[in-house]
Amino acid sequence: MIDSDHSFFYMCYAGMAVALIVSYLKIKSTEGVTITTKEFKKFQYGFLGGYGTIITAELIAVGSFFFIMMNLALDIEQITKVYITTIVSTTVWGILIEIFDIGSRRTKCALSALLYGLSMFFLYFGGHYEMVLLSRVVFGAASALHHSSFEAYIIHQHTILGFPDDWLSQTFSMLPHVMAIAAIASGPIGQLSATVGPSGCITVIIILSLVTVGYILVNWDKDTNPPRFMYSNFLYTMTNTISSIKTNATIRNIILVGAFFEASVIIFSFYWAPWLKFESPGSPGFGALHEVVSFLPYEIIFSCYICASMLGNYLFQMYSAGGDE
């Protein structure tokens, strides 16, 4: 049963979902037809299935973050520290992955999904603040692996199997569509699980993560990529980057703008939920977070945010296509 006080959020979600579907149909109608083979379609859909499932799990995890932390009786200062821990962990693990190549690309994709599930499992012991912090450290490792391994796998396997380059472009053009489907699906799935409580969200994410692990291990071909230590390559890249920043004003300005943009997104990605929480009727204020746990449809709201992002992407594609004509 939808709370009448929250009907606005659900109306926004419905509007965003409809707009996203209409935009998707419009984009699909303008895309050219690429003739492929049954073998490639099987390979392509196999990859997109695993990619879409883990994206859905990640979106639910991010959308329900504040709801879960709030129900673990953490105050706003503790929740902020937990969020910062996640960001720092993702950054540190991203650097370590650049230095230590732990093995095959398929293994890293499966490991990222497994770590997502493991990080959420630790939250079952959320009465201990240290377990919550450990959960976010593991979540950071999962996120770093996720956003580096899936793309590497599809590019490598596409090359190894000898498929034409334009088929790879078609696969990449389908990724936003998969992301749009995940954005729409994550809202109701996350919200339904949240009606059970924070354990419902945690359980759903764990199930999706384990399903992704099994799907990858069964349906994806294993690639050969022995573990490597790449510190010299990492150091060379960092040295060249720092040198370019010092000598090239354009690159320096681009990096600064990008850094400020990412920082603003990171800040907004955390504060949107507390802002809604403390602006809601009957809120006790920032200092009394643990005293009142009001139920807002955080997962639906976050789904609206992601749908809006994907809608912007579609509108830009349509605008660009119109400008080229």
Side-chain angles (χ1 to χ4, degrees), residues 54-234:
I54 197 60
I55 283 289
T56 303
E58 184 187 29
L59 291 179
I60 295 173
V62 176
S64 61
F65 168 77
F66 185 73
F67 170 70
I68 293 174
M69 295 297 116
M70 184 172 59
N71 281 274
L72 292 177
L74 302 182
D75 58 37
I76 189 63
E77 182 178 352
Q78 290 175 315
I79 296 176
T80 304
K81 290 179 180 178
V82 168
Y83 184 75
I84 293 173
T85 298
T86 308
I87 302 301
V88 173
S89 175
T90 303
T91 303
V92 171
W93 281 109
I95 294 173
L96 291 176
I97 290 170
E98 290 292 325
I99 299 175
F100 300 97
D101 193 342
I102 60 176
S104 73
R105 297 163 185 84
R106 188 189 74 161
T107 299
K108 287 185 283 190
C109 291
L111 180 59
S112 70
L114 182 63
L115 289 177
Y116 274 130
L118 181 62
S119 70
M120 302 309 292
F121 176 75
F122 286 143
L123 292 180
Y124 281 130
F125 309 95
H128 302 281
Y129 184 59
E130 294 77 10
M131 294 299 292
V132 178
L133 291 177
L134 177 60
S135 166
R136 305 317 293 179
V137 171
V138 176
F139 190 92
S143 182
L145 273 172
H146 175 194
H147 297 289
S148 66
S149 56
F150 278 77
E151 182 177 322
Y153 175 84
I154 188 64
I155 293 175
H156 178 268
Q157 287 301 104
H158 185 278
T159 303
I160 293 298
L161 295 174
F163 295 126
D165 291 342
D166 60 328
W167 293 7
L168 179 62
S169 300
Q170 186 203 48
T171 301
F172 276 110
S173 71
M174 294 177 71
L175 295 184
H177 303 328
V178 175
M179 183 70 177
I181 294 172
I184 294 174
S186 64
I189 293 175
Q191 195 59 53
L192 284 173
S193 63
T195 58
V196 179
S199 61
C201 295
I202 293 171
T203 302
V204 165
I205 297 166
I206 291 175
I207 291 173
L208 287 174
S209 300
L210 294 180
V211 166
T212 305
V213 173
Y215 185 89
I216 289 174
L217 294 179
V218 172
N219 293 284
W220 291 16
D221 294 330
K222 184 176 181 179
D223 58 291
T224 56
N225 187 43
R228 294 177 295 169
F229 181 68
M230 302 180 295
Y231 179 72
S232 58
N233 293 338
F234 173 77

Side-chain angles (χ1 to χ4, degrees), residues 215-275:
Y215 185 89
I216 289 174
L217 294 179
V218 172
N219 293 284
W220 291 16
D221 294 330
K222 184 176 181 179
D223 58 291
T224 56
N225 187 43
R228 294 177 295 169
F229 181 68
M230 302 180 295
Y231 179 72
S232 58
N233 293 338
F234 173 77
L235 187 61
Y236 176 77
T237 301
M238 287 298 297
T239 301
N240 284 346
T241 301
I242 293 172
S243 177
S244 298
I245 292 173
K246 290 180 178 179
T247 59
N248 192 314
T250 301
I251 293 178
R252 182 168 59 250
N253 292 336
I254 290 174
I255 291 177
L256 284 174
V257 170
F260 290 141
F261 174 77
E262 288 294 329
S264 64
V265 170
I266 289 172
I267 293 171
F268 176 78
S269 296
F270 172 70
Y271 275 110
W272 68 268
W275 284 333

Side-chain angles (χ1 to χ4, degrees), residues 12-51:
C12 287
Y13 167 77
M16 283 293 178
V18 170
L20 196 57
I21 292 171
V22 171
S23 299
Y24 164 77
L25 295 175
K26 175 64 176 178
I27 290 291
K28 288 295 291 183
S29 67
T30 60
E31 290 180 350
V33 177
T34 302
I35 300 176
T36 59
T37 62
K38 290 183 178 179
E39 179 186 11
F40 175 74
K41 285 296 183 185
K42 181 180 178 181
F43 163 73
Q44 184 185 62
Y45 290 146
F47 171 77
L48 294 176
Y51 177 83

